[in-house]
Amino acid sequence: MTITPFTIDIPQRDLDDLAARLANTRWPDEIDGVGWGLGTPLGYLQELAEYWRLRYDWRTHEERLNGFPGFLTNIDGANVHFLHARSPEPDAIPLVLTHGWPGSIVEFLDVIGPLSDPRAYGGDPGDAFHVVVPSLPGFGFSGPTTEANWGSDRTADAWVELLSRLGYERFGLHGGDWGAIVSRAVGVRCPERVIGAHLTMLPHAVPRSEADLAGLTGEELARSEAALARGREFQSGELGYAMIQATKPQTLAYGLTDSPAGQLGWLVEKFKSYSDSRDVPEDAIDRDDLLTSVMLYWLTGTANSSSRIYATLGPAWGTPPPQSTVPTGVAVFPKDTGLPIRHLAERTDNVVHWSTPDRGGHFPGLEVPDLLIDDLRTFFRPLR
């Protein structure tokens, strides 16, 4: 039950080792003119790795992370690291923000302040939250884990226990990617504790065939056709990483754990593919934020344990989820990996809020934090 304050303090020898490994990277060949078509381009990654080695300042970003109160607690045999920003407002409600892969708690650094203390940012103090930002078990300072079955249900149970330890009886949830899956699982498994769940991903509501579009007309049909095309594009060209991490994460981990350039290339390609970017991921996401997120994988040696979350899906991969009764809000950012449509979502979820922002992708907290903050406030306002 112990919750211990935790300050990030990476030994300098680890930073020196990183710099040396980057300087001595053995680079692969590349076919001319393929761009991002076969993965992260060589020239781009070489330039980014050199920036990482010579210009990126971890200590600056370590200080930023430590600017939020950080803690560790052990739940069900795993260390759970989390940030916890209590609001100064007396009527604030607890809100858990959960990241996914290849993300981290860095996704939410720009939203913690406005959500926890809106008055200080020119907002309505009635929209205040006590903000809890945990690292998924196996990710960052919540890892590595030592058991193989840290999936969404077990993590959901851990989140309920964490909120109990913090003294929060009822709370709201937000997540994208695995964070959406975990947040939804909390609502399914413990609905009486959940005020509402705000999600930016709902895989089971992404259309898979023309049959899913039956009966739709006008703008709704056009939007759903775009969602179907996006889903097919993702299925055919973007799922390779998930198949590898679901089946052979140990084999992959040798390269990612030994080579920072390998870890960087593996993660940054997804930031490019899944964000509202044009030519490079930095079109949508600040370069230092990208590298800080990569650092949380590299410095903690959690390439393997974070990948293993995919291996927990097993036979459940692609099967219909259990019904959720908690009030659910869905924000569909246009460049996300899969675009759910409302009539499919309403078959399984109690949808009370649906929004379609005009920009942003899979990482709204990094790409369009202003839109994410506004949508969270709008969703939770009537549920308080």
Side-chain angles (χ1 to χ4, degrees), residues 31 35 108 141 163 180 191 199 261 301 316 326 332 358 382-383:
I31 298 172
F108 301 118
F141 295 103
L163 271 292
L199 313 175
V326 303
V332 185
D358 61 358
L383 301 177

Side-chain angles (χ1 to χ4, degrees), residues 113-360:
L115 290 176
S116 62
D117 192 5
R119 188 192 303 267
Y121 290 81
D124 182 349
D127 288 326
F129 299 92
H130 301 300
V131 181
V132 181
V133 186
S135 294
L136 289 167
F139 288 68
F141 295 103
S142 290
T145 44
T146 59
E147 297 176 316
N149 59 337
W150 272 102
S152 57
D153 286 349
R154 188 174 181 183
T155 302
D157 292 342
W159 274 199
V160 173
E161 173 61 21
L162 173 62
L163 271 292
S164 295
R165 293 184 187 185
L166 293 174
Y168 296 137
E169 179 61 28
R170 300 190 73 238
F171 46 84
L173 301 155
H174 162 77
D177 196 84
W178 279 97
I181 297 171
V182 169
S183 297
R184 189 179 185 280
V186 174
V188 169
R189 297 169 75 82
C190 203
E192 70 281 1
R193 300 282 298 275
V194 176
I195 297 169
H198 182 273
L199 313 175
T200 61
M201 192 181 82
L202 210 60
H204 56 276
V206 174
R208 306 297 180 189
S209 70
E210 298 290 344
D212 291 331
L213 278 54
L216 302 179
T217 59
E219 184 178 339
E220 188 178 14
L221 177 59
R223 188 163 48 244
S224 298
E225 287 175 336
L228 178 60
R230 177 70 168 161
R232 286 173 170 168
E233 176 187 353
F234 179 77
Q235 290 286 328
S236 63
E238 299 290 349
L239 265 182
Y241 80 96
M243 296 296 101
I244 293 172
Q245 294 187 164
T247 57
K248 297 295 185 287
Q250 187 70 38
T251 303
L252 174 67
Y254 296 112
L256 301 188
T257 304
D258 186 61
S259 169
Q263 178 73 93
L264 180 63
W266 186 249
L267 295 178
V268 79
E269 188 260 315
K270 296 308 170 194
F271 280 109
K272 163 64 171 64
S273 298
Y274 299 166
S275 65
D276 192 0
S277 63
R278 298 178 301 278
D279 301 319
V280 294
E282 293 94 320
D283 292 336
I285 302 170
D286 179 81
R287 172 172 279 201
D288 278 12
D289 284 344
L290 284 174
L291 290 173
T292 302
S293 198
V294 173
M295 285 289 268
L296 291 183
Y297 288 81
W298 176 258
L299 294 172
T300 59
T302 51
N304 196 13
S305 57
S306 62
S307 295
R308 285 196 297 262
I309 194 171
Y310 288 86
T312 64
L313 285 170
W317 189 290
T319 59
Q323 292 283 328
S324 173
T325 61
V326 303
T328 299
V330 181
V332 185
F333 289 89
K335 296 298 183 179
D336 207 341
T337 57
L339 306 178
I341 57 179
R342 184 163 187 166
H343 84 277
L344 295 182
E346 289 175 340
R347 295 176 182 177
T348 53
D349 295 76
N350 177 20
V351 177
V352 300
H353 170 85
W354 191 273
S355 66
T356 54
D358 61 358
R359 53 194 169 93

Side-chain angles (χ1 to χ4, degrees), residues 68-106:
F68 303 98
F71 302 89
L72 281 179
T73 191
N74 190 279
I75 302 176
D76 194 15
N79 286 326
V80 174
H81 169 250
F82 64 98
L83 307 179
H84 184 202
R86 287 190 183 271
S87 175
E89 302 298 339
D91 296 326
I93 61 173
L95 176 64
V96 186
L97 309 177
T98 307
H99 66 87
W101 187 96
S104 69
I105 58 173
V106 175

